Amino acid sequence: MKNATTRIAVFVSGGGTNLQALIDAADKGIIKSGRIELVISNNPDAYAIKRAESAGIPVAVVSKKACGSQEAFEEKLKETLREYDIELIVLAGFMNILSANFTKDYPERIINVHPSLIPSFCGKGFYGLRVHEAALEYGVKVTGATVHFVNEIPDGGRIILQKSVAIRKHDTPEILQQRVMRQAEWIILPKAVELVSKEINSLKKGN
Ligand code: GAR
């Protein structure tokens, strides 16, 4: 039988505040059914790498540019995941859309945090600050964050958790982004990781 604790890889590209929320949640025992065994960054300069190193988590940099194509990039990702025996992938601010060729190998084993209430302001072209710019431009009064499974449709997989956040009168995209992270993303991402890890563990016990 496999180990009872789900082996997790976190994919990052930038600041890594969601990665930090996961590390902190593991320290506090909010995440107890899974363990972050690896952080993969597609950007060698991501601050998230420093966060992982400070927490003593192994880091792999897999750059699409260095690999030469999306296909070669995804093959390298898969190889790295196999090396660490990873069972659950968490996209935490990962700015690359994974193709069906990748996602089909991990059905309901990849989760993503998106900074809006899906199905609003999501899909191709909606990432990072752009999501908040679009929400403010549209004039919605409520936004939030969503954690969902990843399939071949960008931001289209089954929703795991959502949390709403109020928009305030003088919000800028930057201010709104911070509020959505603080009030929603950093709370629901760790919760979802625990939920899914627990589910994976119980499936293993059933084997
Ligand atoms: C977060 O707001 C995350 O939801 C978003 O990018 C930011 C990354 O911040 N992700 C996407 O837009 C993916 N479509 P972080 O690096 O500090 O976690």
Side-chain angles (χ1 to χ4, degrees), residues 7-11 19 35-40 52 57-61 77 80-86 88:
R7 296 177 64 83
I8 301 168
V10 183
F11 285 21
L19 168 65
R35 207 180 115 93
I36 307 172
E37 304 286 351
L38 174 67
V39 168
I40 299 186
I57 303 166
V59 177
V61 175
L77 288 175
T80 312
L81 292 168
R82 277 194 300 266
E83 256 170 52
Y84 283 82
D85 222 354
I86 295 301
L88 176 65

PDB file of all heavy atoms in Angstrom, residues 7-11 19 35-40 52 57-61 77 80-86 88:
ATOM      1  N   ARG A   7       1.300  12.952  -1.641  1.00  0.00           N
ATOM      2  CA  ARG A   7       2.533  13.645  -2.038  1.00  0.00           C
ATOM      3  C   ARG A   7       2.177  14.758  -3.040  1.00  0.00           C
ATOM      4  O   ARG A   7       1.667  14.487  -4.127  1.00  0.00           O
ATOM      5  CB  ARG A   7       3.527  12.649  -2.646  1.00  0.00           C
ATOM      6  CG  ARG A   7       3.991  11.604  -1.634  1.00  0.00           C
ATOM      7  CD  ARG A   7       4.917  10.590  -2.275  1.00  0.00           C
ATOM      8  NE  ARG A   7       6.159  11.181  -2.760  1.00  0.00           N
ATOM      9  CZ  ARG A   7       7.224  11.429  -2.023  1.00  0.00           C
ATOM     10  NH1 ARG A   7       7.205  11.138  -0.734  1.00  0.00           N
ATOM     11  NH2 ARG A   7       8.307  11.951  -2.545  1.00  0.00           N
ATOM     12  N   ILE A   8       2.457  16.001  -2.641  1.00  0.00           N
ATOM     13  CA  ILE A   8       1.991  17.172  -3.389  1.00  0.00           C
ATOM     14  C   ILE A   8       3.150  17.901  -4.070  1.00  0.00           C
ATOM     15  O   ILE A   8       4.216  18.085  -3.472  1.00  0.00           O
ATOM     16  CB  ILE A   8       1.281  18.170  -2.436  1.00  0.00           C
ATOM     17  CG1 ILE A   8       0.077  17.494  -1.751  1.00  0.00           C
ATOM     18  CG2 ILE A   8       0.857  19.444  -3.154  1.00  0.00           C
ATOM     19  CD1 ILE A   8      -0.496  18.296  -0.590  1.00  0.00           C
ATOM     20  N   ALA A   9       2.906  18.348  -5.313  1.00  0.00           N
ATOM     21  CA  ALA A   9       3.828  19.292  -5.978  1.00  0.00           C
ATOM     22  C   ALA A   9       3.060  20.585  -6.206  1.00  0.00           C
ATOM     23  O   ALA A   9       1.894  20.561  -6.627  1.00  0.00           O
ATOM     24  CB  ALA A   9       4.305  18.738  -7.311  1.00  0.00           C
ATOM     25  N   VAL A  10       3.695  21.716  -5.916  1.00  0.00           N
ATOM     26  CA  VAL A  10       3.071  23.023  -6.146  1.00  0.00           C
ATOM     27  C   VAL A  10       3.788  23.679  -7.314  1.00  0.00           C
ATOM     28  O   VAL A  10       5.019  23.787  -7.317  1.00  0.00           O
ATOM     29  CB  VAL A  10       3.148  23.911  -4.883  1.00  0.00           C
ATOM     30  CG1 VAL A  10       2.435  25.239  -5.128  1.00  0.00           C
ATOM     31  CG2 VAL A  10       2.535  23.205  -3.668  1.00  0.00           C
ATOM     32  N   PHE A  11       3.002  24.088  -8.331  1.00  0.00           N
ATOM     33  CA  PHE A  11       3.556  24.773  -9.509  1.00  0.00           C
ATOM     34  C   PHE A  11       3.407  26.279  -9.321  1.00  0.00           C
ATOM     35  O   PHE A  11       2.308  26.758  -9.010  1.00  0.00           O
ATOM     36  CB  PHE A  11       2.793  24.381 -10.782  1.00  0.00           C
ATOM     37  CG  PHE A  11       3.080  23.014 -11.333  1.00  0.00           C
ATOM     38  CD1 PHE A  11       3.628  22.006 -10.549  1.00  0.00           C
ATOM     39  CD2 PHE A  11       2.785  22.724 -12.662  1.00  0.00           C
ATOM     40  CE1 PHE A  11       3.880  20.737 -11.077  1.00  0.00           C
ATOM     41  CE2 PHE A  11       3.031  21.461 -13.199  1.00  0.00           C
ATOM     42  CZ  PHE A  11       3.584  20.465 -12.408  1.00  0.00           C
ATOM     43  N   LEU A  19       1.622  29.839  -2.420  1.00  0.00           N
ATOM     44  CA  LEU A  19       2.527  28.794  -1.930  1.00  0.00           C
ATOM     45  C   LEU A  19       2.784  29.021  -0.439  1.00  0.00           C
ATOM     46  O   LEU A  19       2.742  28.090   0.363  1.00  0.00           O
ATOM     47  CB  LEU A  19       3.852  28.823  -2.711  1.00  0.00           C
ATOM     48  CG  LEU A  19       4.978  27.988  -2.107  1.00  0.00           C
ATOM     49  CD1 LEU A  19       4.645  26.503  -2.136  1.00  0.00           C
ATOM     50  CD2 LEU A  19       6.302  28.255  -2.828  1.00  0.00           C
ATOM     51  N   ARG A  35       1.454  16.414   1.950  1.00  0.00           N
ATOM     52  CA  ARG A  35       2.738  17.048   2.271  1.00  0.00           C
ATOM     53  C   ARG A  35       3.322  17.621   0.989  1.00  0.00           C
ATOM     54  O   ARG A  35       3.302  16.941  -0.056  1.00  0.00           O
ATOM     55  CB  ARG A  35       3.663  15.972   2.826  1.00  0.00           C
ATOM     56  CG  ARG A  35       4.720  16.475   3.753  1.00  0.00           C
ATOM     57  CD  ARG A  35       5.550  15.282   4.219  1.00  0.00           C
ATOM     58  NE  ARG A  35       6.904  15.454   3.717  1.00  0.00           N
ATOM     59  CZ  ARG A  35       7.877  16.039   4.421  1.00  0.00           C
ATOM     60  NH1 ARG A  35       7.665  16.443   5.640  1.00  0.00           N
ATOM     61  NH2 ARG A  35       9.082  16.188   3.899  1.00  0.00           N
ATOM     62  N   ILE A  36       3.820  18.851   1.041  1.00  0.00           N
ATOM     63  CA  ILE A  36       4.447  19.447  -0.152  1.00  0.00           C
ATOM     64  C   ILE A  36       5.849  18.861  -0.289  1.00  0.00           C
ATOM     65  O   ILE A  36       6.728  19.136   0.528  1.00  0.00           O
ATOM     66  CB  ILE A  36       4.508  20.988  -0.066  1.00  0.00           C
ATOM     67  CG1 ILE A  36       3.128  21.579   0.230  1.00  0.00           C
ATOM     68  CG2 ILE A  36       5.063  21.569  -1.373  1.00  0.00           C
ATOM     69  CD1 ILE A  36       3.134  23.080   0.515  1.00  0.00           C
ATOM     70  N   GLU A  37       6.022  18.033  -1.314  1.00  0.00           N
ATOM     71  CA  GLU A  37       7.297  17.346  -1.509  1.00  0.00           C
ATOM     72  C   GLU A  37       8.172  18.080  -2.514  1.00  0.00           C
ATOM     73  O   GLU A  37       9.374  17.836  -2.590  1.00  0.00           O
ATOM     74  CB  GLU A  37       7.056  15.920  -2.034  1.00  0.00           C
ATOM     75  CG  GLU A  37       6.153  15.065  -1.159  1.00  0.00           C
ATOM     76  CD  GLU A  37       6.847  14.591   0.112  1.00  0.00           C
ATOM     77  OE1 GLU A  37       8.073  14.783   0.234  1.00  0.00           O
ATOM     78  OE2 GLU A  37       6.144  14.041   0.983  1.00  0.00           O
ATOM     79  N   LEU A  38       7.550  18.955  -3.328  1.00  0.00           N
ATOM     80  CA  LEU A  38       8.285  19.569  -4.438  1.00  0.00           C
ATOM     81  C   LEU A  38       7.586  20.853  -4.872  1.00  0.00           C
ATOM     82  O   LEU A  38       6.350  20.919  -4.894  1.00  0.00           O
ATOM     83  CB  LEU A  38       8.286  18.563  -5.607  1.00  0.00           C
ATOM     84  CG  LEU A  38       8.879  19.012  -6.941  1.00  0.00           C
ATOM     85  CD1 LEU A  38      10.383  19.234  -6.807  1.00  0.00           C
ATOM     86  CD2 LEU A  38       8.613  17.952  -8.015  1.00  0.00           C
ATOM     87  N   VAL A  39       8.389  21.861  -5.230  1.00  0.00           N
ATOM     88  CA  VAL A  39       7.857  23.070  -5.872  1.00  0.00           C
ATOM     89  C   VAL A  39       8.482  23.138  -7.257  1.00  0.00           C
ATOM     90  O   VAL A  39       9.708  22.986  -7.399  1.00  0.00           O
ATOM     91  CB  VAL A  39       8.175  24.334  -5.042  1.00  0.00           C
ATOM     92  CG1 VAL A  39       7.896  25.610  -5.837  1.00  0.00           C
ATOM     93  CG2 VAL A  39       7.348  24.344  -3.749  1.00  0.00           C
ATOM     94  N   ILE A  40       7.654  23.319  -8.278  1.00  0.00           N
ATOM     95  CA  ILE A  40       8.177  23.473  -9.641  1.00  0.00           C
ATOM     96  C   ILE A  40       7.870  24.884 -10.115  1.00  0.00           C
ATOM     97  O   ILE A  40       6.722  25.333 -10.066  1.00  0.00           O
ATOM     98  CB  ILE A  40       7.556  22.448 -10.622  1.00  0.00           C
ATOM     99  CG1 ILE A  40       7.877  21.013 -10.178  1.00  0.00           C
ATOM    100  CG2 ILE A  40       8.069  22.690 -12.043  1.00  0.00           C
ATOM    101  CD1 ILE A  40       7.438  19.920 -11.153  1.00  0.00           C
ATOM    102  N   ALA A  52      10.087  28.585  -1.057  1.00  0.00           N
ATOM    103  CA  ALA A  52      10.203  27.119  -0.954  1.00  0.00           C
ATOM    104  C   ALA A  52      11.516  26.755  -0.261  1.00  0.00           C
ATOM    105  O   ALA A  52      11.539  25.920   0.648  1.00  0.00           O
ATOM    106  CB  ALA A  52      10.133  26.500  -2.343  1.00  0.00           C
ATOM    107  N   ILE A  57      11.830  23.014   1.132  1.00  0.00           N
ATOM    108  CA  ILE A  57      11.153  22.167   0.136  1.00  0.00           C
ATOM    109  C   ILE A  57      12.008  22.121  -1.137  1.00  0.00           C
ATOM    110  O   ILE A  57      12.444  23.171  -1.622  1.00  0.00           O
ATOM    111  CB  ILE A  57       9.742  22.739  -0.192  1.00  0.00           C
ATOM    112  CG1 ILE A  57       8.907  22.855   1.082  1.00  0.00           C
ATOM    113  CG2 ILE A  57       9.031  21.875  -1.234  1.00  0.00           C
ATOM    114  CD1 ILE A  57       7.652  23.704   0.916  1.00  0.00           C
ATOM    115  N   PRO A  58      12.229  20.926  -1.704  1.00  0.00           N
ATOM    116  CA  PRO A  58      12.995  20.839  -2.944  1.00  0.00           C
ATOM    117  C   PRO A  58      12.335  21.634  -4.079  1.00  0.00           C
ATOM    118  O   PRO A  58      11.115  21.677  -4.170  1.00  0.00           O
ATOM    119  CB  PRO A  58      12.994  19.340  -3.282  1.00  0.00           C
ATOM    120  CG  PRO A  58      12.652  18.645  -2.019  1.00  0.00           C
ATOM    121  CD  PRO A  58      11.831  19.602  -1.207  1.00  0.00           C
ATOM    122  N   VAL A  59      13.162  22.275  -4.908  1.00  0.00           N
ATOM    123  CA  VAL A  59      12.663  23.100  -6.007  1.00  0.00           C
ATOM    124  C   VAL A  59      13.229  22.583  -7.322  1.00  0.00           C
ATOM    125  O   VAL A  59      14.414  22.256  -7.409  1.00  0.00           O
ATOM    126  CB  VAL A  59      13.107  24.573  -5.841  1.00  0.00           C
ATOM    127  CG1 VAL A  59      12.654  25.416  -7.033  1.00  0.00           C
ATOM    128  CG2 VAL A  59      12.562  25.168  -4.549  1.00  0.00           C
ATOM    129  N   ALA A  60      12.382  22.533  -8.342  1.00  0.00           N
ATOM    130  CA  ALA A  60      12.853  22.244  -9.696  1.00  0.00           C
ATOM    131  C   ALA A  60      12.424  23.401 -10.587  1.00  0.00           C
ATOM    132  O   ALA A  60      11.272  23.846 -10.503  1.00  0.00           O
ATOM    133  CB  ALA A  60      12.249  20.938 -10.205  1.00  0.00           C
ATOM    134  N   VAL A  61      13.352  23.910 -11.392  1.00  0.00           N
ATOM    135  CA  VAL A  61      12.991  24.937 -12.367  1.00  0.00           C
ATOM    136  C   VAL A  61      12.862  24.245 -13.713  1.00  0.00           C
ATOM    137  O   VAL A  61      13.804  23.596 -14.178  1.00  0.00           O
ATOM    138  CB  VAL A  61      14.048  26.061 -12.420  1.00  0.00           C
ATOM    139  CG1 VAL A  61      13.719  27.051 -13.531  1.00  0.00           C
ATOM    140  CG2 VAL A  61      14.127  26.788 -11.081  1.00  0.00           C
ATOM    141  N   LEU A  77       8.051  18.203 -17.235  1.00  0.00           N
ATOM    142  CA  LEU A  77       7.259  18.311 -16.003  1.00  0.00           C
ATOM    143  C   LEU A  77       6.855  16.917 -15.520  1.00  0.00           C
ATOM    144  O   LEU A  77       7.020  16.575 -14.345  1.00  0.00           O
ATOM    145  CB  LEU A  77       5.986  19.150 -16.243  1.00  0.00           C
ATOM    146  CG  LEU A  77       6.150  20.651 -16.445  1.00  0.00           C
ATOM    147  CD1 LEU A  77       4.800  21.289 -16.799  1.00  0.00           C
ATOM    148  CD2 LEU A  77       6.717  21.314 -15.184  1.00  0.00           C
ATOM    149  N   THR A  80       9.699  15.000 -14.005  1.00  0.00           N
ATOM    150  CA  THR A  80      10.049  15.503 -12.668  1.00  0.00           C
ATOM    151  C   THR A  80       9.018  15.017 -11.641  1.00  0.00           C
ATOM    152  O   THR A  80       9.369  14.620 -10.529  1.00  0.00           O
ATOM    153  CB  THR A  80      10.120  17.043 -12.695  1.00  0.00           C
ATOM    154  OG1 THR A  80      10.911  17.435 -13.820  1.00  0.00           O
ATOM    155  CG2 THR A  80      10.707  17.616 -11.432  1.00  0.00           C
ATOM    156  N   LEU A  81       7.755  15.025 -12.019  1.00  0.00           N
ATOM    157  CA  LEU A  81       6.694  14.576 -11.109  1.00  0.00           C
ATOM    158  C   LEU A  81       6.869  13.096 -10.772  1.00  0.00           C
ATOM    159  O   LEU A  81       6.667  12.679  -9.633  1.00  0.00           O
ATOM    160  CB  LEU A  81       5.319  14.815 -11.745  1.00  0.00           C
ATOM    161  CG  LEU A  81       4.932  16.287 -11.910  1.00  0.00           C
ATOM    162  CD1 LEU A  81       3.710  16.416 -12.803  1.00  0.00           C
ATOM    163  CD2 LEU A  81       4.673  16.932 -10.555  1.00  0.00           C
ATOM    164  N   ARG A  82       7.251  12.318 -11.788  1.00  0.00           N
ATOM    165  CA  ARG A  82       7.459  10.880 -11.568  1.00  0.00           C
ATOM    166  C   ARG A  82       8.625  10.638 -10.609  1.00  0.00           C
ATOM    167  O   ARG A  82       8.546   9.795  -9.719  1.00  0.00           O
ATOM    168  CB  ARG A  82       7.722  10.168 -12.908  1.00  0.00           C
ATOM    169  CG  ARG A  82       6.432   9.820 -13.663  1.00  0.00           C
ATOM    170  CD  ARG A  82       6.714   8.838 -14.786  1.00  0.00           C
ATOM    171  NE  ARG A  82       7.650   9.353 -15.765  1.00  0.00           N
ATOM    172  CZ  ARG A  82       7.296   9.986 -16.900  1.00  0.00           C
ATOM    173  NH1 ARG A  82       6.018  10.170 -17.183  1.00  0.00           N
ATOM    174  NH2 ARG A  82       8.202  10.422 -17.741  1.00  0.00           N
ATOM    175  N   GLU A  83       9.688  11.444 -10.780  1.00  0.00           N
ATOM    176  CA  GLU A  83      10.866  11.307  -9.908  1.00  0.00           C
ATOM    177  C   GLU A  83      10.493  11.430  -8.435  1.00  0.00           C
ATOM    178  O   GLU A  83      11.064  10.784  -7.576  1.00  0.00           O
ATOM    179  CB  GLU A  83      11.846  12.446 -10.207  1.00  0.00           C
ATOM    180  CG  GLU A  83      13.056  12.065 -11.011  1.00  0.00           C
ATOM    181  CD  GLU A  83      13.808  13.318 -11.436  1.00  0.00           C
ATOM    182  OE1 GLU A  83      14.116  14.153 -10.562  1.00  0.00           O
ATOM    183  OE2 GLU A  83      14.053  13.463 -12.658  1.00  0.00           O
ATOM    184  N   TYR A  84       9.531  12.316  -8.160  1.00  0.00           N
ATOM    185  CA  TYR A  84       9.135  12.578  -6.768  1.00  0.00           C
ATOM    186  C   TYR A  84       7.863  11.824  -6.378  1.00  0.00           C
ATOM    187  O   TYR A  84       7.310  12.065  -5.322  1.00  0.00           O
ATOM    188  CB  TYR A  84       8.946  14.088  -6.546  1.00  0.00           C
ATOM    189  CG  TYR A  84      10.252  14.830  -6.407  1.00  0.00           C
ATOM    190  CD1 TYR A  84      10.984  15.206  -7.526  1.00  0.00           C
ATOM    191  CD2 TYR A  84      10.764  15.130  -5.144  1.00  0.00           C
ATOM    192  CE1 TYR A  84      12.194  15.884  -7.407  1.00  0.00           C
ATOM    193  CE2 TYR A  84      11.964  15.802  -5.002  1.00  0.00           C
ATOM    194  CZ  TYR A  84      12.677  16.180  -6.147  1.00  0.00           C
ATOM    195  OH  TYR A  84      13.865  16.844  -6.003  1.00  0.00           O
ATOM    196  N   ASP A  85       7.382  10.981  -7.271  1.00  0.00           N
ATOM    197  CA  ASP A  85       6.208  10.152  -6.945  1.00  0.00           C
ATOM    198  C   ASP A  85       4.993  11.007  -6.541  1.00  0.00           C
ATOM    199  O   ASP A  85       4.304  10.712  -5.569  1.00  0.00           O
ATOM    200  CB  ASP A  85       6.604   9.243  -5.765  1.00  0.00           C
ATOM    201  CG  ASP A  85       6.081   7.844  -5.943  1.00  0.00           C
ATOM    202  OD1 ASP A  85       5.333   7.623  -6.912  1.00  0.00           O
ATOM    203  OD2 ASP A  85       6.406   6.986  -5.101  1.00  0.00           O
ATOM    204  N   ILE A  86       4.770  12.085  -7.296  1.00  0.00           N
ATOM    205  CA  ILE A  86       3.732  13.061  -6.928  1.00  0.00           C
ATOM    206  C   ILE A  86       2.331  12.530  -7.248  1.00  0.00           C
ATOM    207  O   ILE A  86       2.085  11.959  -8.305  1.00  0.00           O
ATOM    208  CB  ILE A  86       3.991  14.403  -7.667  1.00  0.00           C
ATOM    209  CG1 ILE A  86       5.300  15.024  -7.193  1.00  0.00           C
ATOM    210  CG2 ILE A  86       2.805  15.366  -7.495  1.00  0.00           C
ATOM    211  CD1 ILE A  86       5.426  15.348  -5.730  1.00  0.00           C
ATOM    212  N   LEU A  88      -0.591  14.645  -6.272  1.00  0.00           N
ATOM    213  CA  LEU A  88      -1.494  15.792  -6.425  1.00  0.00           C
ATOM    214  C   LEU A  88      -0.681  17.020  -6.839  1.00  0.00           C
ATOM    215  O   LEU A  88       0.349  17.318  -6.227  1.00  0.00           O
ATOM    216  CB  LEU A  88      -2.224  16.072  -5.097  1.00  0.00           C
ATOM    217  CG  LEU A  88      -3.131  17.304  -5.056  1.00  0.00           C
ATOM    218  CD1 LEU A  88      -4.324  17.148  -6.015  1.00  0.00           C
ATOM    219  CD2 LEU A  88      -3.647  17.552  -3.636  1.00  0.00           C
TER     220      LEU A  88
END
